[in-house]
Amino acid sequence: NRLVTDDPDSLFYRTPRLVNHADDAWLRELTSLYRRTLPPGGRVLDLMSSHVSHLPEDVPLARVDGHGMNEEELRQNPAFSLGATHVQDLNREPSLSFAADAEYDAILCCCGVQYLQEAEQVFAECSRALVPRTGVLIVSLTNSFFFQKALYGWSERGMATRAKLVRDYMRAAGGFGSVEVEGGGTGIIAQLGSISGLGGDPFCAVVGRRDDSVS
């Protein structure tokens, strides 16, 4: 799990990076998945977030909390007017100390898993913070990311093996009754199109559903 660069994350993210990590078609697929999966009136944690959350406007939510590495980015995210924000480096402290047990109906992680040095521990924390039986963890990914901050070897993997790695993280974390891959981004055509520049960003999300146990 060595990083490409050993620069502290707090230094790298000190300046707000107000960019989207994927193209518009990819973002529409993510919003569509959220629309199908998030429970109306639910409590949501947007993990490793920034200035935008890509949530569907037609799904009412009771609360949206945000976590990230830059306070200014989180402040600009309108979704977090419904909740609280937390600035924390998960590579230094891989816990959700701000979250109570079974506090959230859904936890989202958009284009961030490739930076986690202790993903299994973080996902175990997500399992703890999700409501048993109905809680869901949605981890989305694509080919676009900060290469200098990604885990060693991530850029050499294809989308299918990245998705498998994230599935393995969730299964090792425990607490998830099912772990499924959504989207066509793991297919060879989508990946070749992205690499050649002729296609858009390949969409893939790994969806873990909390099992019935309390712990």
Side-chain angles (χ1 to χ4, degrees), residues 11-214:
L11 179 62
F12 183 82
Y13 294 105
R14 181 172 58 187
T15 301
R17 299 173 182 271
L18 305 178
V19 298
N20 286 328
H21 293 281
D23 60 26
D24 289 344
W26 190 98
L27 296 175
R28 285 194 295 271
E29 285 204 60
L30 179 63
T31 299
S32 177
L33 175 60
Y34 287 166
R35 181 178 291 110
R36 300 193 306 271
T37 308
L38 298 181
R43 300 160 298 166
V44 173
L45 171 63
D46 191 359
L47 201 63
M48 305 180 74
S49 189
S50 63
H51 66 297
V52 62
S53 292
H54 315 299
L55 294 166
E57 295 182 357
D58 53 347
V59 177
L61 298 169
R63 191 173 99 231
V64 181
D65 292 343
H67 158 273
M69 286 291 295
N70 185 278
E71 185 175 355
E72 179 60 28
E73 290 184 18
L74 299 180
R75 185 181 297 117
Q76 292 197 30
N77 192 323
F80 303 147
S81 63
L82 296 174
T85 57
H86 308 275
V87 176
Q88 179 183 325
D89 183 352
L90 291 175
N91 286 334
R92 286 185 176 273
E93 184 186 351
S95 70
L96 304 183
S97 56
F98 54 83
D101 293 355
E103 183 171 0
Y104 295 105
D105 299 290
I107 297 178
L108 318 175
C109 181
C110 172
C111 297
V113 65
Q114 63 270 8
Y115 309 126
L116 286 174
Q117 298 178 40
E118 302 292 342
E120 293 176 12
Q121 188 170 341
V122 173
F123 288 172
E125 280 285 277
C126 290
S127 173
R128 175 189 63 79
L130 284 168
V131 174
R133 192 173 65 83
T134 58
V136 61
L137 172 61
I138 304 174
V139 178
S140 53
L141 54 144
T142 189
N143 276 346
S144 300
F145 49 87
F146 297 129
F147 282 77
Q148 66 270 46
K149 296 304 295 182
L151 295 179
Y152 182 78
W154 181 271
S155 60
E156 286 75 25
R157 287 181 167 92
M159 288 291 290
T161 53
R162 290 171 185 161
K164 181 182 184 302
L165 180 62
V166 176
R167 289 173 65 189
D168 290 344
Y169 286 155
M170 288 193 194
R171 288 169 173 163
F176 295 100
S178 69
V179 181
E180 304 293 339
V181 176
E182 298 272 354
T186 58
I188 188 65
I189 294 177
Q191 294 182 74
L192 289 176
S194 175
I195 294 170
S196 67
L198 300 177
D201 293 321
F203 176 81
C204 173
V206 181
V207 181
R209 297 188 179 276
R210 189 68 166 82
D211 65 16
D212 292 331
S213 64
V214 175

